[in-house]
Amino acid sequence: MEAPISVVANATGNATAAAVLSGGATNVIIPAVSAVGLVFSLVLYRQVAAVRVAPQTPRGGAGSSSAYLLQSEAGLGDSVEASAAQIQQAITTGARAFLFTEYRYMAGFMVAFGALLFVLLGSADGFKGAHAHAHPADPDAPPPALANAVFTVIAFLLGATTSIVSGYLGMEIAVFANARTALEARRGVGHGFLVAFRSGAVMGFALTSLGLLVLWLAILGFSRYFGDDYRALFEAIAGYGLGGSSIALFGRVGGGIYTKAADVGADLAGKVCAGIPEDDPRNPATIADNVGDNVGDVAGMGSDLFGSLGEATCAALVIGAQSADLVGAGWDAMLVPLCVTAAGIFCSLVVSFVATDISPVRREADVERVLKVQLFLSTALMTAVMYPVLLVLPDNLYLGPEGSFEVMCPTPEAVAANSRCVSGAPLAAFACVAAGLWGGCVIGFVTEYYTSHSYRPVREVAASTETGAATNIIYGLALGYKSTIVPVGVLAAVVYVASRYMSMYGVALSALGMLGTLATCLSIDVYGPVCDNAGGIAEMSELPESVRDKTDALDAAGNTTAAIGKGFAIGSAALVSLALTSAFVTRTGVLQSGVDMLAPTVFAALLVGAMLPYWFSALTMKSVGLAAMEMVKEVKRQFDTIPGLLEGTPGHGPPDHAKCIKISTDASLREMVAPGLLVILTPIITGTLFGVEAVAGLLAGGLLSGVQLAISASNTGGAWDNAKKYVEKGSLVVGGAIQRKGSECHKAAVVGDTVGDPLKDTSGPALNILMKLMAIVSLVFCDFFLGINEGRGLFNMGSTGN
Amino acid sequence: MEAPISVVANATGNATAAAVLSGGATNVIIPAVSAVGLVFSLVLYRQVAAVRVAPQTPRGGAGSSSAYLLQSEAGLGDSVEASAAQIQQAITTGARAFLFTEYRYMAGFMVAFGALLFVLLGSADGFKGAHAHAHPADPDAPPPALANAVFTVIAFLLGATTSIVSGYLGMEIAVFANARTALEARRGVGHGFLVAFRSGAVMGFALTSLGLLVLWLAILGFSRYFGDDYRALFEAIAGYGLGGSSIALFGRVGGGIYTKAADVGADLAGKVCAGIPEDDPRNPATIADNVGDNVGDVAGMGSDLFGSLGEATCAALVIGAQSADLVGAGWDAMLVPLCVTAAGIFCSLVVSFVATDISPVRREADVERVLKVQLFLSTALMTAVMYPVLLVLPDNLYLGPEGSFEVMCPTPEAVAANSRCVSGAPLAAFACVAAGLWGGCVIGFVTEYYTSHSYRPVREVAASTETGAATNIIYGLALGYKSTIVPVGVLAAVVYVASRYMSMYGVALSALGMLGTLATCLSIDVYGPVCDNAGGIAEMSELPESVRDKTDALDAAGNTTAAIGKGFAIGSAALVSLALTSAFVTRTGVLQSGVDMLAPTVFAALLVGAMLPYWFSALTMKSVGLAAMEMVKEVKRQFDTIPGLLEGTPGHGPPDHAKCIKISTDASLREMVAPGLLVILTPIITGTLFGVEAVAGLLAGGLLSGVQLAISASNTGGAWDNAKKYVEKGSLVVGGAIQRKGSECHKAAVVGDTVGDPLKDTSGPALNILMKLMAIVSLVFCDFFLGINEGRGLFNMGSTGN
């Protein structure tokens, strides 16, 4: 096959002396930063927990709080705090109910898919583990397929478990913080902000640090078996990304269906049918709606971004392991992708003090600025920090796909002679990371421009409600389409720069760059739903109007930053997907001279791949519609059968929240099966039948069309949401009359908002998963595909027709 | 450069003796079939004209009819016929007003773009025409760039003019036939059907025959200069496709904006604001709406499909000219693409007698069946006829892009040795044509399944109106997304089969196959708006309810077949675009080893290309919204200022139709500038700055994402339209109550219908133009791009980074 790796490594091992960090430095930096991140996250949690949800609650952790909440449910407290705590408890119970049901399915999935992985990968050489760890004896032999299967499955389970734990922690802290935010808002907007922001940061730092630490431990552990055979090592490690991304499928798709079934159901039932406000405590679907915010926007978003981080790292590792120069440079150079993430955690941590201590929120007007400054400063600091970290890379690198193990760039002459040799690799890598970092920033802010009612686009959509719901929809769709221009242009530029300077490795680095400020992004993302729920709790527990105004101000900023977060999530998903596709193409080996897009198999696969996002969106949109209709029926049934509920007569029976939560839970888990299977099975079937060339086309097609659809769906939905809010706050004037709640314009705006719900929170973000999961599945099953007619599939298709 | 063509031709000239049709046979067949088609179209016109629109009108042609209409306007007739004739005259006047305004712009565009073409192409060797017709003296020299420029401009002007003439004829016959259809419907549905179907067939046969004849004459004329240098000859001929497609830009984009500005405006103004029916004669926008049907669905659809036919033929010719074997086989073999079209005209002509004489419409229930049988029989007959026609191809063909002029497949041994050698070329070509033919058929019928209220999908959408407009929109969008699955799958299969058997030449042949039954498709397409207008005229001229029922039945079938026609138009546009992209790649020469989709420039361009359909749709959607709002304001103004109009008091002043027509006309021409420039300039700028590799990526990206967006937009819109009709005919029952016009469900359905209007008739179909026009522009400007850093653009980008 190829030249023995250890020999190559020895031949170039000395070329890396120029690295600033001496050998093994990563073994200090990565665990240290992870540990600091985890401790920091614990400290923030204690600070959030210190807020008392009720007079009789002693300062302390969740345990004591729960103790109180039980009392409160028993009727021992009936102050505002008690009421807030009671609602919080209902949300917590609902969220846990959903999560634990979901975990049962996840566990089943992990076992089943782990078994499939083991069988398909292990079967490549007939489950022969005979020459296990053959390296010392025979340096030429690759590790047996059985080893690959075993370690891939372990990595898969590790990734999945870490994602679950991170998501669970995030969800717990979010539901733990929402009543606290509402209550603290009584003391001032700054106090409320601190609680919400810190709770977000708990999730942000816990998720990134845990993800990094577990991945590093896995690599360390696996290397005991694989030695310096980085290629085989990282092929197995790719399972980690697969695990994270599989959980994201549940989180994003299942969670997305859950949250919008509840939201659309509550909207339609509350507003359209019974005529009571969405957050009215009598509406039985409200708690499900509040649970949904956490399920979708906290756990779902978190698992999505955890998946991106894991996959981007795996893609970089796999591609890097194909480069003899990089392999020769040793452990520290190989682990550069993890160092990028570590640097990001460090920078986000430092910058978080700006929001909490250095320049905190004092007035309502400060909130949005403080959040945006977080993002901007993290990006800037990370840019400054990255270059020294990247000096660990060898100066000259050969990064081409063809025959990587034979061609190296040890000398300046070799670099000059071969266009695939990168000279000044640290600087080139820096350009890639920086492109990703700042590209993400631009995408985020453009997304905000198109979805915030501070700017012209959303105001135009709001004004179009003058002629009714139809023009509102037309204008909103047009806005979403238009909003793809700049983000896609930025992505194209990032891809060009990255792949130009460092080939496919550069694309993976730019994805890591875009995810570099992930801890900050997640803090901001989680902040949104916490404030949203705080507002709901303030209304339901009948806190004074002034408090509701403060939570509204906090929430408004959260909407803005949620838009930024969505932009980030899509942009990074696109880069990650491209990096994984590149890693797949690199690994196949048979596509060394490139993938000719006009070859019969490739173009047909590109077409089908570009169709998949539409199929997937159709499934998820329809699911939300069906589940919402189910919810409406249940709410109607409760209003019909529970005496006094609709009329709000004092002492009326309580609405049955649990039933509504169950409808959303069941619907989300039932309805995610079809889209889930579509994403996981399509690449496997394509690879099995039509070969690796078709898989490459499928992935690229899905990415090309998915990124457009995701951006336009998310932004259209966000714009309608904020157009409605713009009308509600009385800013739309038609013919001299202010259009408020209840006006014809408002009704038209509500139609747009409801249509936008599944677009922006279900099908749009779920496309991130489609793009990434298909690619990582293909990468992990690569060896299996190559085992069938040398990657030409059962139908023996491929490039001969080319 | 390459080996002299004449030498190659001599070497293989004898290998073609096996052809069934002897040399020069195409010179008989093509003009003969064209002539027969034109005569047939004239005969059909006479038959339509024979219907008397008023008692005093003598049987005869348009001239006499106009004479009558003038009388009627002078008040000499006030029967039902006179009233119908008066409305028809108003529509005719409006349509002509639009067309003649549009022609002024088209003329300006043709002059400007022709000049640009001349300058950019002619500048390649500094406008030196010195060695004009250098071939006899020096067979090695290519013709000068100046010759290429001159002949390309001539072809461009010919294509544009032919398209204009065809579109004008189609529009005239359509507006000429609508009142006649309404009046004939009084004698029975079969009589009405005959008028509408024949008027459609006039357009169908006139357009295809004229297009074929002019193209053949152009090739014949150009060959006097180019001799047997087919390569140069067909490079210049590609201008014909460009001309046709440029006019289609005006027809589809301008026409699409016109028709939907009028339709949405009339809907909103009539239904939402004033509460009178859409077709009420008092609504000043109705005539504009009726004109719009003809402008968009007749002239627009016609120019779109004319463009497809021209471009598919040009793509096949250009690719064919790269094959030494095909060039060697001589004139008849080269002209096979035109023969495919000729065969299609012949088959459609024969089959049309089934609808008019053999198995005509007798009852209302027959209409849809008769129309579908037309399509099915044309496809079947053409399948049978194609094989003998294709025997004119040499048996062994080399069709690979690299060094085509050196590699040939003269012997069975050579065929066996080279995977790019096609053995049994006639049979392989037959497979390609048949795949296109039947693929189009499947796409058409699947489109019908998703847009007709006879099937479950649309009925589900209709049922979703129970919970309001929002769920209707959600379900409709989901339906559109889902409806891409089969058509895109079919396209992928056709592309695979075609490119597998005959490489890129096969893709062009399959596009021609799909367009083979174009005459039939156009007949059916034009039938729809004619019946739609007939219904409007029946209502406005107050014909009895029973007549209106008959025109409704005719119209319902027209809606179904219009959906089929749209499917065809999109499918063929996708194949044509791919064929043109392939022709572009083949011609560049520098991309001989294929276009690596993961190369930096290519992938970045793919991303940007995939974004363009979204940008384009945003522009066109917004344009319709803006123009419709302008229309609503004008209608309101007229209701406010014209005494008695709104109340319908007897003797009220007439509504000012002309003003509404002017608004639509002005808006359509103003608003098409931006999308038009986007389509034409993007490939030119990309090629100039970033080179041919980027252009290839741009075209493929646009195609991949455009075809999905076009299918989903068209079908979503069609489904909403028919869901509304389903409610209106009283088929929707909610909670035991039939939901009719005016119910909440109907209002929700109307919102969907209005949103769907621009999707299905403006932005969706206009994407066909985007896909094709970008590709033909690139093909025509290929030499210009290659002149800049050898096709690497001013920024000198390209495959070295690969």
Side-chain angles (χ1 to χ4, degrees):
Chain A
M1 303 195 75
E2 58 266 337
I5 293 137
S6 50
V7 174
V8 174
N10 290 340
T12 58
N14 298 330
T16 67
V20 160
L21 303 162
S22 59
T26 53
N27 287 353
V28 178
I29 294 174
I30 295 170
V33 171
S34 307
V36 170
L38 285 172
V39 169
F40 186 63
S41 147
L42 192 66
V43 169
L44 291 171
Y45 167 71
R46 303 278 305 177
Q47 288 176 317
V48 173
V51 176
R52 294 153 41 149
V53 288
Q56 63 269 52
T57 311
R59 284 177 169 267
S64 53
S65 163
S66 303
Y68 155 72
L69 289 166
L70 289 172
Q71 290 168 20
S72 117
E73 281 193 316
L76 295 179
D78 51 12
S79 61
V80 167
E81 284 92 342
S83 165
Q86 200 172 347
I87 298 163
Q88 168 167 316
Q89 183 61 17
I91 296 174
T92 309
T93 311
R96 285 191 188 141
F98 171 73
L99 282 188
F100 287 114
T101 314
E102 200 182 46
Y103 291 157
R104 282 210 303 278
Y105 284 79
M106 284 180 183
F109 170 81
M110 280 160 65
V111 169
F113 197 64
L116 181 74
L117 259 181
F118 180 76
V119 170
L120 291 189
L121 292 181
S123 65
D125 60 0
F127 295 103
K128 273 180 264 156
H131 60 304
H133 210 334
H135 288 67
D138 172 13
D140 243 6
L146 192 59
N148 182 31
V150 169
F151 284 103
T152 303
V153 170
I154 295 175
F156 166 72
L157 295 176
L158 276 176
T161 311
T162 313
S163 176
I164 289 175
V165 170
S166 308
Y168 182 76
L169 290 179
M171 178 104 143
E172 279 289 328
I173 182 71
V175 295
F176 181 71
N178 47 23
R180 289 177 164 79
T181 302
L183 296 173
E184 277 291 280
R186 291 182 301 181
R187 297 174 54 205
V189 69
H191 289 84
F193 175 84
L194 272 186
V195 176
F197 180 78
R198 281 182 174 139
S199 70
V202 171
M203 164 96 164
F205 289 102
L207 183 143
T208 47
S209 305
L210 207 55
L212 180 64
L213 187 63
V214 175
L215 180 58
W216 176 75
L217 287 172
I219 295 173
L220 207 62
F222 286 14
S223 72
R224 301 235 150 193
Y225 173 83
F226 288 104
D228 59 359
D229 183 355
Y230 291 114
R231 205 167 179 180
L233 167 57
F234 293 136
E235 281 172 17
I237 280 293
Y240 187 81
L242 178 63
S245 209
S246 305
I247 298 310
L249 175 71
F250 285 84
R252 261 300 193 203
V253 182
I257 295 172
Y258 183 106
T259 176
K260 290 302 128 175
D263 191 359
V264 176
D267 280 12
L268 290 178
K271 286 181 194 158
V272 180
C273 308
I276 56 174
E278 184 185 355
D279 276 349
D280 192 294
R282 287 171 291 155
N283 188 335
T286 46
I287 297 291
D289 186 9
N290 282 313
V291 171
D293 291 342
N294 297 297
V295 164
D297 296 347
V298 179
M301 172 75 98
S303 61
D304 182 359
L305 288 168
F306 178 89
S308 285
L309 182 63
E311 287 161 319
T313 315
C314 292
L317 293 172
V318 170
I319 299 172
Q322 316 289 321
S323 162
D325 291 316
L326 204 58
V327 168
W331 180 261
D332 281 351
M334 289 310 302
L335 290 201
V336 153
L338 280 81
C339 297
V340 174
T341 305
I345 296 174
F346 171 77
C347 295
S348 298
L349 197 152
V350 170
V351 170
S352 77
F353 288 104
V354 175
T356 53
D357 296 275
I358 298 169
S359 168
V361 168
R362 288 180 221 283
R363 292 163 298 130
E364 289 185 11
D366 289 348
V367 182
E368 194 175 314
R369 185 186 52 75
V370 167
L371 289 173
K372 283 188 188 166
V373 161
Q374 281 292 304
L375 199 59
F376 185 79
L377 282 184
S378 308
T379 306
L381 182 60
M382 175 127 179
T383 312
V385 166
M386 273 329 298
Y387 187 63
V389 171
L390 292 167
L391 282 177
V392 81
L393 289 172
D395 223 40
N396 296 324
L397 268 182
Y398 178 79
L399 288 164
E402 66 270 352
S404 309
F405 282 82
E406 283 73 41
V407 186
M408 286 169 297
C409 308
T411 61
E413 292 72 35
V415 173
N418 191 322
S419 68
R420 278 197 171 282
C421 279
V422 180
S423 154
L427 194 60
F430 175 74
C432 300
V433 174
L437 259 171
W438 289 99
C441 224
V442 173
I443 292 175
F445 286 115
V446 168
T447 309
E448 191 215 338
Y449 173 74
Y450 278 104
T451 54
S452 157
H453 58 54
S454 307
Y455 306 102
R456 208 169 58 92
V458 170
R459 292 186 178 186
E460 262 184 17
V461 172
S464 76
T465 58
E466 182 188 346
T467 37
T471 39
N472 186 33
I473 304 280
I474 291 175
Y475 273 67
L477 289 175
L479 176 143
Y481 291 159
K482 196 172 170 190
S483 72
T484 59
I485 301 171
V486 178
V488 173
V490 168
L491 279 177
V494 171
V495 166
Y496 181 78
V497 167
S499 52
R500 189 81 185 170
Y501 281 133
M502 291 211 90
S503 191
M504 293 157 174
Y505 192 67
V507 176
L509 284 184
S510 66
L512 282 168
M514 197 174 276
L515 292 164
T517 53
L518 182 56
T520 302
C521 282
L522 274 174
S523 309
I524 295 175
D525 282 340
V526 175
Y527 165 93
V530 168
C531 292
D532 189 6
N533 268 318
I537 290 175
E539 174 147 342
M540 284 189 274
S541 61
E542 287 157 15
L543 281 166
E545 189 67 24
S546 65
V547 177
R548 179 77 218 222
D549 285 348
K550 292 202 183 79
T551 57
D552 278 354
L554 292 173
D555 187 23
N559 270 319
T560 304
T561 53
I564 296 180
K566 256 173 215 153
F568 258 100
I570 298 172
S572 60
L575 285 182
V576 168
S577 164
L578 178 58
L580 290 168
T581 305
S582 305
F584 172 77
V585 168
T586 308
R587 267 210 54 196
T588 59
V590 297
L591 304 175
Q592 285 173 346
S593 59
V595 185
D596 178 13
M597 67 178 187
L598 292 177
T601 323
V602 178
F603 199 86
L606 277 167
L607 268 175
V608 172
M611 175 268 283
L612 289 178
Y614 287 80
W615 189 348
F616 186 80
S617 296
L619 291 172
T620 48
M621 293 278 285
K622 191 84 177 292
S623 298
V624 171
L626 284 170
M629 281 179 146
E630 229 178 297
M631 185 70 81
V632 172
K633 285 197 184 111
E634 170 61 20
V635 172
K636 269 188 182 158
R637 190 194 63 77
Q638 291 197 22
F639 279 135
D640 289 349
T641 55
I642 299 176
L645 182 61
L646 181 57
E647 302 76 18
T649 41
H652 62 75
D656 188 354
H657 296 135
K659 197 73 185 280
C660 291
I661 289 173
K662 190 166 167 8
I663 285 177
S664 257
T665 304
D666 292 351
S668 71
L669 293 168
R670 185 182 65 233
E671 296 290 337
M672 66 162 285
V673 173
L677 289 178
L678 179 69
V679 171
I680 292 174
L681 294 186
T682 308
I684 298 181
I685 293 172
T686 305
T688 308
L689 297 182
F690 309 113
V692 290
E693 220 177 27
V695 173
L698 191 81
L699 299 180
L703 163 57
L704 287 171
S705 132
V707 66
Q708 325 282 344
L709 201 57
I711 295 175
S712 66
S714 290
N715 291 350
T716 292
W720 278 326
D721 186 357
N722 281 322
K724 186 195 73 169
K725 293 209 168 90
Y726 185 74
V727 175
E728 282 175 357
K729 79 188 185 82
S731 301
L732 182 66
V733 179
V734 171
I738 293 179
Q739 307 290 316
R740 288 184 189 281
K741 273 196 179 181
S743 66
E744 283 305 313
C745 285
H746 183 249
K747 280 182 196 160
V750 168
V751 172
D753 180 40
T754 309
V755 174
D757 274 337
L759 283 176
K760 78 178 198 295
D761 291 323
T762 313
S763 58
L767 288 172
N768 298 349
I769 310 300
L770 174 112
M771 293 190 268
K772 293 180 299 178
L773 189 51
M774 288 210 313
I776 188 96
V777 166
S778 306
L779 180 60
V780 169
F781 282 95
C782 187
D783 276 347
F784 172 68
F785 300 150
L786 289 173
I788 303 169
N789 282 331
E790 293 179 343
R792 299 164 52 75
L794 290 176
F795 291 166
N796 206 13
M797 285 175 171
S799 46
T800 58
N802 182 11
Chain B
M1 302 194 79
E2 60 266 337
I5 292 139
S6 50
V7 175
V8 174
N10 290 340
T12 58
N14 299 328
T16 64
V20 161
L21 305 162
S22 60
T26 53
N27 287 354
V28 178
I29 293 174
I30 295 170
V33 171
S34 307
V36 169
L38 285 174
V39 169
F40 187 62
S41 149
L42 193 66
V43 169
L44 292 171
Y45 167 72
R46 303 279 307 180
Q47 287 175 319
V48 172
V51 175
R52 293 154 43 148
V53 287
Q56 63 268 54
T57 310
R59 283 175 172 266
S64 52
S65 164
S66 304
Y68 157 71
L69 290 166
L70 289 172
Q71 289 169 22
S72 117
E73 281 191 317
L76 295 180
D78 51 11
S79 61
V80 167
E81 284 94 344
S83 165
Q86 200 172 350
I87 298 162
Q88 167 167 315
Q89 183 62 17
I91 297 174
T92 308
T93 310
R96 285 192 187 143
F98 170 73
L99 283 188
F100 287 115
T101 314
E102 201 183 44
Y103 291 157
R104 281 212 301 279
Y105 284 79
M106 284 180 183
F109 171 82
M110 281 161 64
V111 170
F113 197 64
L116 181 74
L117 259 180
F118 180 77
V119 170
L120 292 188
L121 292 181
S123 66
D125 61 358
F127 295 103
K128 273 182 265 158
H131 60 306
H133 210 333
H135 287 69
D138 171 14
D140 244 5
L146 192 59
N148 182 30
V150 169
F151 284 103
T152 303
V153 170
I154 294 176
F156 166 72
L157 295 176
L158 276 177
T161 310
T162 312
S163 176
I164 289 175
V165 170
S166 309
Y168 182 76
L169 290 178
M171 178 105 144
E172 280 288 327
I173 182 72
V175 295
F176 182 70
N178 48 23
R180 289 178 164 80
T181 301
L183 295 172
E184 276 290 282
R186 291 182 301 180
R187 296 174 54 204
V189 69
H191 289 85
F193 174 83
L194 272 186
V195 176
F197 179 78
R198 280 182 175 141
S199 71
V202 172
M203 164 97 164
F205 289 102
L207 183 143
T208 47
S209 305
L210 207 56
L212 180 64
L213 186 64
V214 175
L215 181 57
W216 177 76
L217 287 172
I219 296 173
L220 206 63
F222 286 16
S223 72
R224 301 233 150 195
Y225 174 83
F226 288 105
D228 58 359
D229 185 353
Y230 291 115
R231 205 166 180 179
L233 166 57
F234 294 135
E235 282 173 17
I237 279 294
Y240 188 81
L242 178 63
S245 210
S246 304
I247 296 311
L249 175 71
F250 285 85
R252 261 300 193 202
V253 182
I257 295 172
Y258 183 105
T259 176
K260 290 303 128 173
D263 190 1
V264 175
D267 280 11
L268 290 177
K271 287 181 192 156
V272 180
C273 308
I276 55 175
E278 183 185 353
D279 277 348
D280 192 293
R282 286 170 293 156
N283 189 335
T286 44
I287 296 293
D289 186 8
N290 283 312
V291 171
D293 290 341
N294 297 296
V295 164
D297 297 347
V298 179
M301 173 73 99
S303 61
D304 183 358
L305 289 168
F306 179 88
S308 285
L309 182 63
E311 287 161 320
T313 313
C314 291
L317 293 173
V318 169
I319 299 171
Q322 317 288 318
S323 163
D325 291 316
L326 204 57
V327 168
W331 179 262
D332 281 351
M334 288 310 300
L335 290 201
V336 153
L338 280 80
C339 296
V340 174
T341 304
I345 295 175
F346 171 76
C347 296
S348 297
L349 196 152
V350 170
V351 170
S352 77
F353 287 104
V354 174
T356 53
D357 296 276
I358 298 170
S359 168
V361 168
R362 288 180 220 283
R363 292 163 299 130
E364 287 185 12
D366 289 347
V367 182
E368 197 175 310
R369 184 186 53 74
V370 167
L371 289 173
K372 284 187 188 167
V373 162
Q374 281 294 303
L375 199 58
F376 185 80
L377 283 185
S378 308
T379 307
L381 181 61
M382 175 127 180
T383 312
V385 166
M386 272 330 297
Y387 187 62
V389 172
L390 293 166
L391 282 176
V392 81
L393 289 172
D395 222 41
N396 296 324
L397 268 183
Y398 178 79
L399 288 164
E402 66 270 347
S404 309
F405 283 81
E406 281 75 40
V407 186
M408 285 170 296
C409 308
T411 62
E413 292 72 35
V415 173
N418 191 321
S419 68
R420 276 197 172 282
C421 280
V422 180
S423 154
L427 194 60
F430 175 73
C432 300
V433 174
L437 259 171
W438 288 98
C441 223
V442 173
I443 292 175
F445 286 115
V446 168
T447 309
E448 191 214 339
Y449 173 74
Y450 278 104
T451 54
S452 158
H453 58 54
S454 307
Y455 306 102
R456 208 168 59 91
V458 170
R459 291 185 177 186
E460 261 183 19
V461 172
S464 75
T465 56
E466 182 187 349
T467 36
T471 39
N472 185 33
I473 304 281
I474 292 175
Y475 273 67
L477 289 175
L479 175 144
Y481 292 158
K482 195 172 171 191
S483 72
T484 60
I485 302 171
V486 178
V488 173
V490 168
L491 279 177
V494 171
V495 166
Y496 181 78
V497 167
S499 52
R500 190 80 184 170
Y501 282 133
M502 291 213 90
S503 191
M504 293 157 174
Y505 192 65
V507 175
L509 284 184
S510 66
L512 282 169
M514 198 174 275
L515 292 164
T517 52
L518 183 56
T520 302
C521 281
L522 274 175
S523 308
I524 295 174
D525 282 340
V526 174
Y527 165 91
V530 168
C531 292
D532 190 5
N533 269 323
I537 289 175
E539 174 147 341
M540 284 189 274
S541 60
E542 287 156 16
L543 281 166
E545 190 67 25
S546 65
V547 177
R548 179 76 218 221
D549 284 348
K550 293 201 182 82
T551 57
D552 277 355
L554 292 173
D555 187 23
N559 270 318
T560 304
T561 51
I564 297 181
K566 255 173 214 152
F568 256 99
I570 298 172
S572 60
L575 286 182
V576 168
S577 162
L578 178 58
L580 290 168
T581 306
S582 304
F584 172 77
V585 169
T586 308
R587 267 211 54 195
T588 60
V590 297
L591 304 173
Q592 284 173 346
S593 60
V595 185
D596 178 14
M597 68 178 187
L598 292 176
T601 323
V602 178
F603 199 85
L606 277 167
L607 268 175
V608 172
M611 174 269 284
L612 289 178
Y614 287 80
W615 190 348
F616 186 79
S617 296
L619 291 173
T620 48
M621 294 277 285
K622 192 84 177 292
S623 297
V624 171
L626 284 172
M629 282 178 145
E630 229 178 297
M631 186 70 83
V632 172
K633 283 197 186 112
E634 169 61 20
V635 172
K636 268 188 181 157
R637 190 194 63 78
Q638 291 197 21
F639 279 135
D640 288 348
T641 55
I642 299 176
L645 182 61
L646 180 58
E647 301 76 19
T649 42
H652 63 74
D656 188 354
H657 296 132
K659 196 76 185 279
C660 291
I661 289 174
K662 190 165 167 12
I663 286 177
S664 257
T665 304
D666 291 351
S668 70
L669 293 168
R670 185 183 65 232
E671 296 290 337
M672 65 162 285
V673 173
L677 289 178
L678 180 70
V679 172
I680 291 174
L681 293 185
T682 308
I684 298 181
I685 292 172
T686 305
T688 307
L689 296 182
F690 308 114
V692 289
E693 222 178 24
V695 172
L698 191 82
L699 298 182
L703 164 58
L704 287 171
S705 133
V707 66
Q708 326 280 344
L709 201 57
I711 294 174
S712 67
S714 289
N715 291 349
T716 293
W720 278 326
D721 185 357
N722 280 322
K724 187 195 71 168
K725 294 211 167 91
Y726 185 73
V727 175
E728 283 176 356
K729 78 189 186 86
S731 303
L732 182 66
V733 179
V734 171
I738 294 179
Q739 306 290 316
R740 290 185 188 278
K741 271 197 181 182
S743 66
E744 283 305 312
C745 285
H746 183 251
K747 280 181 195 159
V750 168
V751 171
D753 179 40
T754 310
V755 174
D757 274 338
L759 283 175
K760 77 177 200 296
D761 291 323
T762 312
S763 57
L767 288 171
N768 298 350
I769 309 299
L770 174 113
M771 293 190 267
K772 293 181 299 177
L773 190 51
M774 288 209 313
I776 188 94
V777 166
S778 307
L779 180 60
V780 169
F781 281 94
C782 188
D783 276 348
F784 172 69
F785 299 151
L786 289 173
I788 303 169
N789 283 328
E790 293 178 344
R792 299 163 53 75
L794 290 176
F795 291 167
N796 207 12
M797 286 175 168
S799 47
T800 59
N802 181 11

